[in-house]
Structures are given as structure tokens and as C-alpha cells.
Amino acid sequence: MKKTLKIMMLTMLTGMLVMSLFSCKSIKFDKDIYSPVAVLTVYSNPSLPWYDPQAKSSNAVDDSLPGSLLKKANQENPELYTVQDRIDSACKTLMEALDESGIVTVDADTIFNNAEYQKLSKVFLSNLETDVPASGLKIQDYMSGTKYRSLAQSLGAGGMMFVEFSFYKQKIPSGLHDIFIHARSTMNVYIYDQDGQKVFHKKYTGVSEKGTVDDNGYYDKHELVAKYPETVDYVIGCLMQDLLN
């Protein structure tokens, strides 16, 4: 069901535990200048690692398996076999929110079928190289200024957006004895102008209002997976608020 921007804003203001983090916005986003926006990539990690707030080098501990073992586990673990649906749903919510906010975007098919876009290759690869792009998009996280200009011109785009989601599961104690596992999502957004200059960057974080009970290490994975859309609604709602202010 298509969610309206009004509903997302209401979700943003109620019931969430931990929300936005830091902003690195360098220039105020002006939709009249940077539209139409080409959303060049929306992608996420392939699993639901544990969030570790004490970790120094990483904010998560990934207990997934690489390669063929991960593919085999995908068939049995809803945290893994829902990954494509999870990032596709997040991408759909983002595109709907942009549209409802009056921010014009370049059609996804136009981007995917663009010859310049198809020539792009991802520069920075994750260790396992298992990041998952939304259907119809590639994973891309850096381009030279020349490529920005060439791609923007061929797409007729005023701005180009890169979106990286990271989905985690987080243990949060409740009372003296109970522990609940909450859905945690971060969204890292970059927007560049036609010349490849960064005009917007911000990272958002949302944690589900309610968690799934941890019963001596056992928890309902299906119940946990169902909690991610609310966190996606929240972070995207925050982004829309920033872009429109």
C-alpha cells in the first residue's frame, strides 16, 4: 500500500527510540536547481548483523556466511532470504516519498537503459562483495567529475543521488531481566550536482518502537523482519524533511 508523506511524518514524530545521527550537509538542497534527481543506486548489506555500540572499527558484527554457504542459508533464514524484498521495498518507499514531496526524479528505466550508466563500475567493493542493489539498479559509490557531467547530461539530471542502507538487529534490555531484539536501520544519502560537487550528505538512523522477545537466544525471526519497514519509513521521512526545509 502506498504510504503518504503525511503518514511518514507522523511515524517520524511518534514511538521511535533512537533516530537521526549526524549531518554533513554542505549546501542547502534546492529542488528547483537539482531536479530532476537521478537516483543512481539504492543498496544494502546482505544480512542482519548484530549492532554493537561498543565496537571501535565497525558498528555491527556480521554473523552471516560468505559465498555458497550464505546462499544455502538464504533458503532457511528469513533474515537472509528477505534481503531483496527489503531493499526493493525501501527503494519503492524512497521513490514514492520523493514524488509526493514534489521532487522530480529521472525514471528508473531511463537510468538503467542509459549507455553511460551501464558503463559505470563500482570502485569501492565490500570485503565479501555481497551488497544487494534494489532491482533495476547497480551498486555505485564514486565517480570522477567527468563521469558525473557526462552521465548528468545524458540523463538530463540536475542532481544525482546515492543511497546506502544498512540493516541491523539490536538487543535492548527492558526491566531487570527481559531483552528484546529491535530492528535498526541506517540510511546514508549523498547528492551531487551536475559537475560532481557534493551538495548534500546526511546519515539517518531509526530503531523500531517495539522489539521481539529474546528467549534464551531464541527469537521469532519473521516477527523481527516485519519491523524493518517502520524504520525505513522513519529515516526516509527525516530525509524528506531535510530536503524540503
Side-chain angles (χ1 to χ4, degrees):
M1 186 191 321
K2 186 175 181 179
K3 300 180 179 63
T4 65
L5 182 62
K6 181 178 180 181
I7 292 176
M8 288 197 298
M9 291 302 182
L10 180 61
T11 300
M12 183 176 65
L13 294 174
T14 60
M16 304 299 289
L17 296 177
V18 181
M19 299 308 172
S20 61
L21 292 181
F22 60 88
S23 171
C24 300
K25 184 161 55 174
S26 55
I27 300 176
K28 181 177 174 61
F29 179 82
D30 187 330
K31 66 179 182 180
D32 294 327
I33 296 176
Y34 302 116
S35 294
V37 174
V39 181
L40 298 183
T41 187
V42 180
Y43 66 98
S44 77
N45 52 330
S47 61
L48 298 178
W50 291 104
Y51 174 75
D52 179 7
Q54 303 302 321
K56 295 181 179 180
S57 60
S58 173
N59 284 332
V61 177
D62 197 336
D63 56 4
S64 64
L65 300 172
S68 61
L69 293 179
L70 178 59
K71 292 181 181 179
K72 182 177 180 180
N74 281 352
Q75 303 171 11
E76 303 171 356
N77 186 346
E79 294 180 359
L80 300 177
Y81 67 66
T82 57
V83 59
Q84 190 66 61
D85 289 340
R86 189 157 49 245
I87 191 58
D88 284 350
S89 176
C91 183
K92 181 174 182 290
T93 301
L94 172 64
M95 299 306 293
E96 289 176 350
L98 290 168
D99 179 61
E100 291 169 8
S101 298
I103 298 175
V104 180
T105 59
V106 179
D107 182 74
D109 289 338
T110 299
I111 295 174
F112 186 75
N113 293 323
N114 181 274
E116 294 293 328
Y117 182 74
Q118 288 300 327
K119 292 177 183 178
L120 300 178
S121 60
K122 187 181 178 189
V123 176
F124 176 79
L125 298 177
S126 64
N127 291 332
L128 298 179
E129 299 183 19
T130 54
D131 290 338
V132 179
S135 297
L137 293 175
K138 300 171 63 176
I139 295 177
Q140 179 68 35
D141 47 24
Y142 175 77
M143 295 189 298
S144 67
T146 301
K147 288 184 177 180
Y148 274 110
R149 287 188 288 274
S150 178
L151 182 59
Q153 184 176 13
S154 65
L155 291 172
M160 289 162 286
M161 181 182 293
F162 298 74
V163 182
E164 177 190 10
F165 281 93
S166 294
F167 299 109
Y168 307 131
K169 49 193 176 186
Q170 179 176 2
K171 291 184 179 181
I172 298 179
S174 178
L176 296 177
H177 305 291
D178 295 331
I179 295 178
F180 289 86
I181 300 174
H182 291 250
R184 181 185 182 93
S185 300
T186 67
M187 181 180 69
N188 209 2
V189 180
Y190 293 84
I191 301 178
Y192 295 83
D193 66 13
Q194 294 174 320
D195 294 320
Q197 297 297 312
K198 182 171 65 178
V199 297
F200 183 91
H201 172 217
K202 192 165 183 179
K203 183 178 181 180
Y204 303 89
T205 297
V207 179
S208 60
E209 177 184 2
K210 296 181 179 179
T212 302
V213 64
D214 183 344
D215 184 8
N216 293 320
Y218 171 81
Y219 62 96
D220 189 328
K221 294 183 178 181
H222 292 279
E223 182 181 354
L224 175 65
V225 165
K227 298 182 183 301
Y228 285 91
E230 72 174 271
T231 65
V232 170
D233 285 350
Y234 174 76
V235 296
I236 290 177
C238 288
L239 171 65
M240 295 303 108
Q241 188 178 54
D242 282 344
L243 294 184
L244 295 177
N245 284 342

mmCIF file of all heavy atoms in Angstrom, residues 10 24 27 59 61 65 71 83-84 86 94 97 102 119 134 147 154 186 188 196 202 215 232:
data_model
loop_
_atom_site.group_PDB
_atom_site.id
_atom_site.type_symbol
_atom_site.label_atom_id
_atom_site.label_comp_id
_atom_site.label_asym_id
_atom_site.label_seq_id
_atom_site.Cartn_x
_atom_site.Cartn_y
_atom_site.Cartn_z
ATOM 1 N N LEU A 10 4.194 11.430 10.562
ATOM 2 C CA LEU A 10 3.608 11.067 11.846
ATOM 3 C C LEU A 10 4.422 9.964 12.496
ATOM 4 O O LEU A 10 4.703 9.998 13.700
ATOM 5 C CB LEU A 10 2.159 10.601 11.643
ATOM 6 C CG LEU A 10 1.409 10.187 12.913
ATOM 7 C CD1 LEU A 10 1.312 11.376 13.865
ATOM 8 C CD2 LEU A 10 0.008 9.682 12.550
ATOM 9 N N CYS A 24 26.142 16.161 7.514
ATOM 10 C CA CYS A 24 27.324 16.723 6.865
ATOM 11 C C CYS A 24 26.895 17.557 5.666
ATOM 12 O O CYS A 24 27.591 17.621 4.664
ATOM 13 C CB CYS A 24 28.269 15.607 6.408
ATOM 14 S SG CYS A 24 28.874 14.569 7.739
ATOM 15 N N ILE A 27 25.664 22.233 1.315
ATOM 16 C CA ILE A 27 24.892 23.267 0.637
ATOM 17 C C ILE A 27 23.418 22.903 0.776
ATOM 18 O O ILE A 27 23.055 21.744 0.652
ATOM 19 C CB ILE A 27 25.255 23.352 -0.860
ATOM 20 C CG1 ILE A 27 26.747 23.674 -1.035
ATOM 21 C CG2 ILE A 27 24.403 24.400 -1.571
ATOM 22 C CD1 ILE A 27 27.204 23.688 -2.471
ATOM 23 N N ASN A 59 30.218 -0.754 13.430
ATOM 24 C CA ASN A 59 29.041 -0.652 14.273
ATOM 25 C C ASN A 59 28.239 -1.945 14.304
ATOM 26 O O ASN A 59 27.158 -1.986 14.863
ATOM 27 C CB ASN A 59 28.128 0.478 13.782
ATOM 28 C CG ASN A 59 28.686 1.825 14.168
ATOM 29 O OD1 ASN A 59 29.379 1.942 15.161
ATOM 30 N ND2 ASN A 59 28.385 2.841 13.385
ATOM 31 N N VAL A 61 28.385 -6.527 14.094
ATOM 32 C CA VAL A 61 29.081 -7.799 14.000
ATOM 33 C C VAL A 61 28.278 -8.671 13.054
ATOM 34 O O VAL A 61 27.138 -9.021 13.337
ATOM 35 C CB VAL A 61 29.191 -8.478 15.380
ATOM 36 C CG1 VAL A 61 29.859 -9.839 15.239
ATOM 37 C CG2 VAL A 61 29.973 -7.600 16.345
ATOM 38 N N LEU A 65 27.315 -15.873 6.526
ATOM 39 C CA LEU A 65 28.327 -16.715 5.902
ATOM 40 C C LEU A 65 28.586 -16.242 4.477
ATOM 41 O O LEU A 65 27.662 -15.832 3.780
ATOM 42 C CB LEU A 65 27.852 -18.171 5.869
ATOM 43 C CG LEU A 65 27.570 -18.799 7.238
ATOM 44 C CD1 LEU A 65 26.932 -20.174 7.044
ATOM 45 C CD2 LEU A 65 28.842 -18.919 8.037
ATOM 46 N N LYS A 71 24.395 -18.524 0.451
ATOM 47 C CA LYS A 71 23.270 -18.826 -0.437
ATOM 48 C C LYS A 71 22.433 -19.978 0.108
ATOM 49 O O LYS A 71 21.206 -19.974 0.024
ATOM 50 C CB LYS A 71 23.789 -19.163 -1.840
ATOM 51 C CG LYS A 71 24.410 -17.974 -2.551
ATOM 52 C CD LYS A 71 24.892 -18.355 -3.941
ATOM 53 C CE LYS A 71 25.526 -17.155 -4.635
ATOM 54 N NZ LYS A 71 26.025 -17.505 -5.986
ATOM 55 N N VAL A 83 16.164 -10.358 1.917
ATOM 56 C CA VAL A 83 17.017 -9.199 1.680
ATOM 57 C C VAL A 83 16.616 -8.430 0.418
ATOM 58 O O VAL A 83 16.567 -7.199 0.424
ATOM 59 C CB VAL A 83 18.509 -9.603 1.616
ATOM 60 C CG1 VAL A 83 18.778 -10.614 0.521
ATOM 61 C CG2 VAL A 83 19.381 -8.360 1.426
ATOM 62 N N GLN A 84 16.307 -9.135 -0.673
ATOM 63 C CA GLN A 84 15.938 -8.434 -1.901
ATOM 64 C C GLN A 84 14.624 -7.684 -1.731
ATOM 65 O O GLN A 84 14.478 -6.538 -2.162
ATOM 66 C CB GLN A 84 15.851 -9.408 -3.073
ATOM 67 C CG GLN A 84 15.707 -8.718 -4.433
ATOM 68 C CD GLN A 84 16.954 -7.913 -4.809
ATOM 69 O OE1 GLN A 84 18.039 -8.467 -4.932
ATOM 70 N NE2 GLN A 84 16.795 -6.607 -4.997
ATOM 71 N N ARG A 86 13.513 -6.571 1.024
ATOM 72 C CA ARG A 86 13.741 -5.490 1.970
ATOM 73 C C ARG A 86 14.292 -4.240 1.263
ATOM 74 O O ARG A 86 13.815 -3.123 1.476
ATOM 75 C CB ARG A 86 14.697 -5.961 3.068
ATOM 76 C CG ARG A 86 14.847 -5.002 4.228
ATOM 77 C CD ARG A 86 15.317 -5.711 5.491
ATOM 78 N NE ARG A 86 16.468 -6.569 5.314
ATOM 79 C CZ ARG A 86 16.441 -7.897 5.463
ATOM 80 N NH1 ARG A 86 15.318 -8.527 5.775
ATOM 81 N NH2 ARG A 86 17.544 -8.616 5.307
ATOM 82 N N LEU A 94 11.257 5.180 -0.917
ATOM 83 C CA LEU A 94 12.030 6.382 -1.199
ATOM 84 C C LEU A 94 11.502 7.103 -2.431
ATOM 85 O O LEU A 94 11.288 8.324 -2.422
ATOM 86 C CB LEU A 94 13.500 6.015 -1.397
ATOM 87 C CG LEU A 94 14.417 7.139 -1.895
ATOM 88 C CD1 LEU A 94 14.506 8.258 -0.859
ATOM 89 C CD2 LEU A 94 15.810 6.592 -2.223
ATOM 90 N N ALA A 97 8.197 8.727 -1.774
ATOM 91 C CA ALA A 97 8.336 9.906 -0.922
ATOM 92 C C ALA A 97 8.865 11.101 -1.712
ATOM 93 O O ALA A 97 8.407 12.235 -1.528
ATOM 94 C CB ALA A 97 9.257 9.599 0.251
ATOM 95 N N GLY A 102 7.215 16.434 -4.276
ATOM 96 C CA GLY A 102 7.363 17.351 -5.396
ATOM 97 C C GLY A 102 8.765 17.401 -5.958
ATOM 98 O O GLY A 102 9.090 18.309 -6.733
ATOM 99 N N LYS A 119 27.972 1.713 -18.282
ATOM 100 C CA LYS A 119 29.438 1.672 -18.321
ATOM 101 C C LYS A 119 30.058 1.818 -16.936
ATOM 102 O O LYS A 119 31.242 1.500 -16.743
ATOM 103 C CB LYS A 119 29.974 2.796 -19.215
ATOM 104 C CG LYS A 119 29.657 2.634 -20.693
ATOM 105 C CD LYS A 119 30.181 3.834 -21.471
ATOM 106 C CE LYS A 119 29.814 3.757 -22.938
ATOM 107 N NZ LYS A 119 30.286 4.948 -23.688
ATOM 108 N N ALA A 134 18.914 -2.557 -5.163
ATOM 109 C CA ALA A 134 17.494 -2.647 -5.484
ATOM 110 C C ALA A 134 17.358 -3.091 -6.937
ATOM 111 O O ALA A 134 18.207 -2.784 -7.782
ATOM 112 C CB ALA A 134 16.824 -1.297 -5.268
ATOM 113 N N LYS A 147 32.798 11.857 -15.350
ATOM 114 C CA LYS A 147 31.695 10.901 -15.493
ATOM 115 C C LYS A 147 30.388 11.490 -14.987
ATOM 116 O O LYS A 147 29.318 11.229 -15.543
ATOM 117 C CB LYS A 147 32.028 9.605 -14.754
ATOM 118 C CG LYS A 147 33.101 8.770 -15.438
ATOM 119 C CD LYS A 147 33.324 7.446 -14.721
ATOM 120 C CE LYS A 147 34.356 6.598 -15.460
ATOM 121 N NZ LYS A 147 34.595 5.298 -14.779
ATOM 122 N N SER A 154 23.560 13.153 -20.182
ATOM 123 C CA SER A 154 22.842 12.133 -20.940
ATOM 124 C C SER A 154 21.485 11.805 -20.328
ATOM 125 O O SER A 154 20.559 11.402 -21.024
ATOM 126 C CB SER A 154 23.689 10.862 -21.061
ATOM 127 O OG SER A 154 23.888 10.267 -19.780
ATOM 128 N N THR A 186 20.050 2.116 9.137
ATOM 129 C CA THR A 186 20.700 3.387 8.841
ATOM 130 C C THR A 186 20.588 3.640 7.343
ATOM 131 O O THR A 186 20.552 2.700 6.540
ATOM 132 C CB THR A 186 22.182 3.410 9.255
ATOM 133 O OG1 THR A 186 22.915 2.485 8.440
ATOM 134 C CG2 THR A 186 22.347 3.050 10.721
ATOM 135 N N ASN A 188 22.411 6.200 4.492
ATOM 136 C CA ASN A 188 23.439 7.180 4.171
ATOM 137 C C ASN A 188 23.127 7.755 2.785
ATOM 138 O O ASN A 188 23.075 7.006 1.803
ATOM 139 C CB ASN A 188 24.805 6.499 4.166
ATOM 140 C CG ASN A 188 25.928 7.444 4.550
ATOM 141 O OD1 ASN A 188 25.698 8.603 4.868
ATOM 142 N ND2 ASN A 188 27.146 6.952 4.517
ATOM 143 N N GLY A 196 29.511 17.037 -10.279
ATOM 144 C CA GLY A 196 30.106 16.101 -9.329
ATOM 145 C C GLY A 196 30.450 16.720 -7.993
ATOM 146 O O GLY A 196 31.191 16.125 -7.205
ATOM 147 N N LYS A 202 23.951 13.207 4.463
ATOM 148 C CA LYS A 202 23.491 13.005 5.829
ATOM 149 C C LYS A 202 23.220 11.527 6.066
ATOM 150 O O LYS A 202 22.820 10.799 5.164
ATOM 151 C CB LYS A 202 22.224 13.816 6.114
ATOM 152 C CG LYS A 202 21.860 13.887 7.591
ATOM 153 C CD LYS A 202 20.829 14.976 7.849
ATOM 154 C CE LYS A 202 20.523 15.086 9.329
ATOM 155 N NZ LYS A 202 19.542 16.159 9.615
ATOM 156 N N ASP A 215 14.274 -15.083 23.968
ATOM 157 C CA ASP A 215 14.020 -16.159 24.927
ATOM 158 C C ASP A 215 15.227 -17.086 24.978
ATOM 159 O O ASP A 215 15.292 -18.091 24.279
ATOM 160 C CB ASP A 215 12.766 -16.933 24.523
ATOM 161 C CG ASP A 215 12.377 -18.011 25.536
ATOM 162 O OD1 ASP A 215 12.998 -18.047 26.625
ATOM 163 O OD2 ASP A 215 11.473 -18.813 25.233
ATOM 164 N N VAL A 232 12.448 2.126 8.041
ATOM 165 C CA VAL A 232 12.692 2.721 6.718
ATOM 166 C C VAL A 232 11.794 3.943 6.528
ATOM 167 O O VAL A 232 12.236 4.988 6.039
ATOM 168 C CB VAL A 232 12.456 1.678 5.609
ATOM 169 C CG1 VAL A 232 12.456 2.346 4.230
ATOM 170 C CG2 VAL A 232 13.533 0.593 5.666
#
